[in-house]
Amino acid sequence: AQSVTQLGSHVSVSEGALVLLRCNYSSSVPPYLFWYVQYPNQGLQLLLKYTTGATLVKGINGFEAEFKKSETSFHLTKPSAHMSDAAEYFCAVRRAQAGKSTFGDGTTLTVKP
Amino acid sequence: EAGVAQSPRYKIIEKRQSVAFWCNPISGHATLYWYQQILGQGPKLLIQFQNNGVVDDSQLPKDRFSAERLKGVDSTLKIQPAKLEDSAVYLCASSLGGSDTQYFGPGTRLTVL
């Protein structure tokens, strides 16, 4: 079985501030981990993914995430928030290679001017 | 490259009516997914196709939901009869294979009154 917990359903930051969105997972096998972004009335877009290898993963739009096996975490960060980052973010876990993805319930990011 | 297309974008029906959604995946993508996203939650996989065969439909409520992908390209998802709790966004996604990046369509927002 696998599950994802996103801590904080709403996060608010000021423009230019650090963005930190938290994701913890559980998986009985080595996981593949994903972060997606969803803008209003749009589908999900992949930001970044961890499969194997380097634990610090860089994605699009300046986001990055670090896989920490000991903490079962995959937190998403961005050094400086931009107004265009306001959206909903979903963390997902999947068993390596194939199998269905399990998504967290999402975190809504608000960026204040 | 064209993305995943879905129609209609919005649908309002009364309970006990039937409804169908259509998805056209990215050309060449063998794997197609249907997700249900209830407001405030992450997407939940309903069914996964590999070409025209079903890989996983363990979370599809088979008494009222059905899906097909007859020629291994387009897919339809049907609900008959609809219940109030079926109100959600129905997302279609596709990937080259089961272990590859999923690309999501914009979704169909269903409201059941």
Side-chain angles (χ1 to χ4, degrees), chain B residues 25-94:
Chain B
I26 292 172
S27 179
H29 281 195
T31 309
L32 185 146
Y33 312 79
W34 282 102
Y35 289 89
Q36 180 191 59
Q37 185 179 16
I38 293 172
L39 185 65
Q41 298 180 20
K44 181 184 80 173
L45 181 70
L46 293 175
I47 189 167
Q48 177 182 342
F49 291 95
Q50 180 71 19
N51 295 309
N52 60 349
V54 175
V55 173
D56 185 342
D57 64 355
S58 57
Q59 297 195 89
L60 186 74
K62 298 181 185 63
D63 58 334
R64 298 184 301 107
F65 286 64
S66 65
E68 60 183 14
R69 194 184 184 200
L70 292 176
K71 296 183 179 179
V73 180
D74 294 5
S75 177
T76 55
L77 176 70
K78 297 179 182 177
I79 307 175
Q80 182 179 7
K83 293 186 175 182
L84 296 177
E85 58 261 37
D86 298 332
S87 294
V89 174
Y90 291 84
L91 295 166
C92 179
S94 71

Side-chain angles (χ1 to χ4, degrees), chain A residues 48-61:
Chain A
L48 50 78
K49 64 180 179 182
Y50 168 79
T51 54
T52 58
T55 56
L56 182 61
V57 181
K58 295 186 185 297
I60 61 172
N61 302 338

Side-chain angles (χ1 to χ4, degrees), chain A residues 38 41 43 49 94 97 104, chain B residues 9 37 42 59 99 101 104-105:
Chain A
Q38 186 176 34
N41 298 314
K49 64 180 179 182
R94 193 181 80 195
Q97 290 299 318
Chain B
R9 291 295 313 277
Q37 185 179 16
Q59 297 195 89
S99 60
T101 297
F104 285 80

Side-chain angles (χ1 to χ4, degrees), chain A:
Chain A
Q2 57 192 24
S3 66
V4 173
T5 302
Q6 290 185 239
L7 300 174
S9 58
H10 291 85
V11 170
S12 181
V13 301
S14 297
E15 190 173 19
L18 171 72
V19 175
L20 171 61
L21 305 182
R22 300 176 187 273
C23 173
N24 287 89
Y25 70 92
S26 69
S27 177
S28 56
V29 298
Y32 281 12
L33 295 159
F34 306 81
W35 274 101
Y36 292 86
V37 61
Q38 186 176 34
Y39 297 101
N41 298 314
Q42 295 186 26
L44 280 70
Q45 179 184 6
L46 181 67
L47 275 178
L48 50 78
K49 64 180 179 182
Y50 168 79
T51 54
T52 58
T55 56
L56 182 61
V57 181
K58 295 186 185 297
I60 61 172
N61 302 338
F63 284 94
E64 62 183 37
E66 186 171 12
F67 170 58
K68 292 187 176 181
K69 184 178 178 181
S70 61
E71 298 177 9
T72 60
S73 69
F74 191 58
H75 301 330
L76 182 70
T77 60
K78 182 174 181 178
S80 177
H82 191 273
M83 297 296 290
S84 61
D85 295 327
E88 190 156 20
Y89 292 79
F90 292 93
C91 181
V93 61
R94 193 181 80 195
R95 286 181 301 176
Q97 290 299 318
K100 67 184 179 188
S101 295
T102 298
F103 287 80
D105 286 337
T107 298
T108 300
L109 176 66
T110 301
V111 182
K112 298 175 293 185

